[in-house]
Amino acid sequence: MNEGVLDELVDALRCLPGVGPKSAQRMALHLLQRDRKGAARLGEVMVRAMHSVQHCQQCRIFTENTVCSYCSDTSREPSQLCVVENPADVLAIEKSTEYRGRFFLLLGQLSPLDGVGPKDLGLDLLEERLNSGEVTELTLATNQSVEGQATARYITTLATDRDVSVMQIARGIPIGSELEFADSTTLSVAFEQRTRL
Ligand SMILES: [Zn+2]
């Protein structure tokens, strides 16, 4: 391996999840040998995305605006709020279910041992939202891992303290699995059969 910028490229590629030194090297060489155009585009779009994509101020979904298209869509029911962990979960729910309320994105799970507390998940923002009185029904579509369940319990308390009814999507989703990998029928049924907590 040469020195300088090539090493830097290999090192930079390692910021991608699951990419170790060997695959980073393979990727760098592939881009240099076979796809310089693609690499240039990747670099350019990456810079633009990092500069312009931010969290929606209301639901934390990634957006180029201060408020995302879900939150600004007046045809969506503002009294219904669905709490999910990942952006991919929003897309999965949109694709597979009839749900047409609003979303709130946690981007993680409570995990005190890893230093992830309520604020890191925007739960102070969620609390404000619930305080506004706009939301009457909250649906938990969080994953069923141990941390996911702890997060769900925390949110349930926030909501019930404010007389907001809480529903949880049914357990058709296998325990410990990620929502985004559920097939759309399973997710659709789980959403249909959500139960009041
Ligand atoms: Zn939003």
Side-chain angles (χ1 to χ4, degrees):
M1 180 60 64
N2 290 341
E3 297 165 355
V5 74
L6 181 54
D7 279 349
E8 256 187 84
L9 175 59
V10 172
D11 196 49
L13 285 166
R14 291 188 59 192
C15 77
L16 293 166
V19 176
K22 273 204 172 147
S23 26
Q25 195 178 70
R26 251 196 322 272
M27 285 177 184
L29 294 177
H30 169 85
L31 292 173
L32 284 166
Q33 281 174 23
R34 307 198 186 281
D35 200 359
R36 288 185 174 232
K37 237 181 163 176
R41 175 158 181 265
L42 176 64
E44 190 261 322
V45 174
M46 187 112 57
V47 169
R48 268 198 292 137
M50 292 308 125
H51 184 73
S52 60
V53 178
Q54 54 192 327
H55 293 291
C56 167
Q57 283 184 355
Q58 290 180 22
C59 72
R60 309 200 341 135
I61 282 175
F62 289 120
T63 172
E64 286 180 61
N65 306 306
T66 18
V67 176
C68 75
S69 55
Y70 296 107
C71 291
S72 53
D73 181 350
T74 48
S75 71
R76 302 188 78 97
E77 184 48 63
S79 65
Q80 291 196 358
L81 192 65
C82 178
V83 178
V84 298
E85 280 170 23
N86 305 300
D89 301 336
V90 173
L91 301 177
I93 289 167
E94 280 291 289
K95 205 178 92 190
S96 316
T97 76
E98 299 291 304
Y99 180 74
R100 288 300 175 263
R102 304 282 170 90
F103 288 99
F104 189 86
L105 199 60
L106 301 172
L107 298 166
Q109 301 172 323
L110 284 179
S111 182
L113 291 177
D114 303 315
V116 183
K119 268 206 163 158
D120 300 303
L121 304 184
L123 292 177
D124 47 339
L125 197 65
L126 179 64
E127 201 171 336
E128 269 176 46
R129 180 87 165 261
L130 296 175
N131 283 340
S132 76
E134 188 183 47
V135 178
T136 56
E137 186 182 284
L138 184 147
T139 299
L140 284 167
T142 46
N143 293 310
Q144 311 280 3
S145 62
V146 175
E147 290 88 357
Q149 286 178 25
T151 312
R153 273 197 299 276
Y154 186 98
I155 295 170
T156 302
T157 308
L158 278 187
T160 47
D161 281 354
R162 289 161 182 81
D163 290 328
V164 174
S165 74
V166 180
M167 315 279 278
Q168 184 159 47
I169 60 169
R171 300 283 175 125
I173 310 291
I175 302 272
S177 75
E178 300 281 324
L179 196 64
E180 63 175 293
F181 299 123
D183 68 88
S184 65
T185 314
T186 307
L187 182 55
S188 167
V189 169
F191 218 89
E192 277 308 303
Q193 300 179 344
R194 59 193 195 272
T195 48
R196 200 169 293 275
L197 290 181

